[in-house]
Amino acid sequence: MFDFSWSEIAIIVIVALVFIRPADLPVALRALSRGVRAVRRMAAEFQGHVDEMVREADMGEVREQFRDLRRFDLRTKVERAIDADGTLRRSFEPPPSLSLAPPLAPPPVLPAPEPEPVEAPAILPPSTARRLARERERWYPPSILPPVMVQHGSRRVRLGAPEGEERE
């Protein structure tokens, strides 16, 4: 227990026989054994408390990690990483001054069945292909692409620009 060698234990026994009378020796050994038991009991209790604290600390960290995982929003994290100031998102919105498509009319009350689009890829469901065919006229290029310019006489004109909105 205390890493004593046999010679050290023998010296302790001889010193104990010299200083403790033989009549008091059993009482001293009982007191020593009670003291050793009490020390072992306290050490075991202390170790149990330390183990319990470690378990509680680990469980607290695990609970925090689970809470963080439940609150994790991948979409927001990716958007913040790619487009922190929102310029990329705004580039895909149609500019208010430039409207390439006519204003949308209200949908008819009873829509006629639409034919299947001819150019639809085979992996698209028919409902998605029909929706894309309806929305095709409202598509517009993102604002990060420069406008298509053509030469008209001596002036450069933006293709598809409304009347009066031209560049040289």
Side-chain angles (χ1 to χ4, degrees):
M1 179 172 112
F2 295 106
D3 292 334
F4 289 129
S5 66
W6 286 108
S7 60
E8 292 170 342
I9 293 174
I11 290 174
I12 292 172
V13 169
I14 291 172
V15 170
L17 286 175
V18 169
F19 288 109
I20 301 173
R21 290 183 292 165
D24 295 333
L25 195 58
V27 174
L29 288 176
R30 272 190 233 115
L32 180 66
S33 67
R34 280 189 212 123
V36 169
R37 268 189 253 130
V39 168
R40 284 185 179 172
R41 195 177 318 119
M42 285 190 295
E45 187 176 330
F46 178 75
Q47 183 66 37
H49 287 299
V50 169
D51 290 344
E52 183 179 334
M53 286 176 18
V54 167
R55 270 187 258 118
E56 286 177 4
D58 287 345
M59 292 305 284
E61 290 176 19
V62 169
R63 285 186 199 119
E64 281 298 318
Q65 289 175 352
F66 277 127
R67 276 190 220 121
D68 291 343
L69 283 175
R70 272 190 239 131
R71 284 186 249 142
F72 184 72
D73 184 13
L74 180 64
R75 181 178 183 179
T76 306
K77 294 277 186 189
V78 170
E79 283 179 1
R80 284 184 190 155
I82 294 174
D83 188 23
D85 57 351
T87 55
L88 190 61
R89 177 183 284 270
R90 286 191 301 273
S91 72
F92 287 105
E93 294 173 358
S97 63
L98 179 65
S99 176
L100 297 178
L104 295 176
V109 178
L110 294 172
E114 298 179 27
E116 293 291 323
V118 178
E119 299 177 17
I123 60 171
L124 283 180
S127 61
T128 304
R130 284 191 299 269
R131 181 180 54 82
L132 290 175
R134 279 193 314 264
E135 294 175 356
R136 173 172 256 150
E137 62 190 33
R138 291 184 298 183
W139 291 353
Y140 55 89
S143 62
I144 59 173
L145 296 176
V148 178
M149 304 294 281
V150 294
Q151 192 73 26
H152 183 68
S154 63
R155 297 185 329 204
R156 292 184 67 200
V157 180
R158 182 170 27 183
L159 191 63
E163 301 257 346
E165 194 176 315
E166 300 174 351
R167 277 196 200 164
E168 287 195 24

